[in-house]
Amino acid sequence: MSIQERAQMAAELKKSYNCCQAVVLALKDLVDLSEDQLVTMAASFGSGMGNMKGSCGALVGAEMIAGLVSGGNRAIARQINEKFEELCGSITCEELKGIKSGKVLCSCPDCCKNAILAFGCALGLE
């Protein structure tokens, strides 16, 4: 499955799951965890860390899976973070949703797509 297909899948999964769950489920075949385990692991990261105050949940999901597939390579997490910010305009849920500014930088489905694209870029996947 291509990264573009995974990105689209994550956006579709967002209709039924939170952002973090949608991203980890779109990447589930890359790790040795069940769907139930992934959904449970990612459950607390909907609406970003700290309920919109911290990192976007989609970004967190991409970095969780990247950690598992890369053996904890922190440089890859940094690359995902940087690419995600480039694509979305921020890495924090509060800023992405325009909570204080009133300007939405990136919708949740688009954050899910962009988290997958950033993941693919950092890991050299197409």
Side-chain angles (χ1 to χ4, degrees), residues 7 21 23 29 36 43 53-54 61 69-70 80 84 86 105 114 118 121:
Q21 290 169 325
V23 169
D29 61 303
D36 286 342
K53 297 292 183 185
V69 301
S70 73
I80 293 170
F84 183 87
E86 176 187 317
L105 298 178
N114 290 334
C121 184

Side-chain angles (χ1 to χ4, degrees), residues 1-125:
M1 180 181 307
S2 75
I3 284 297
Q4 292 294 335
E5 290 168 325
R6 289 179 191 278
Q8 189 57 43
M9 178 191 294
E12 288 296 315
L13 286 164
K14 175 60 185 104
K15 294 176 183 176
S16 301
Y17 296 95
N18 74 39
C19 295
C20 189
Q21 290 169 325
V23 169
V24 300
L25 288 174
L27 299 168
K28 71 181 178 182
D29 61 303
L30 302 177
V31 298
D32 192 26
L33 293 172
S34 72
E35 187 169 317
D36 286 342
Q37 288 172 314
L38 290 168
V39 168
T40 301
M41 174 183 76
S44 296
F45 299 100
S47 298
M49 289 183 151
N51 196 23
M52 299 184 90
K53 297 292 183 185
S55 297
C56 168
L59 175 60
V60 171
E63 290 185 2
M64 282 179 183
I65 301 300
L68 291 170
V69 301
S70 73
N73 185 331
R74 292 174 45 204
I76 288 176
R78 179 181 208 96
Q79 290 172 352
I80 293 170
N81 221 44
E82 289 171 356
K83 185 65 174 179
F84 183 87
E85 186 169 19
E86 176 187 317
L87 293 169
C88 297
S90 178
I91 63 166
T92 64
C93 187
E94 183 177 58
E95 290 177 3
L96 291 163
K97 302 301 152 250
I99 300 304
K100 291 183 180 174
S101 70
K103 179 184 174 192
V104 176
L105 298 178
C106 195
S107 69
C108 289
D110 284 341
C111 285
C112 292
K113 285 181 190 177
N114 290 334
I116 297 286
L117 295 175
F119 175 91
C121 184
L123 289 162
L125 304 174

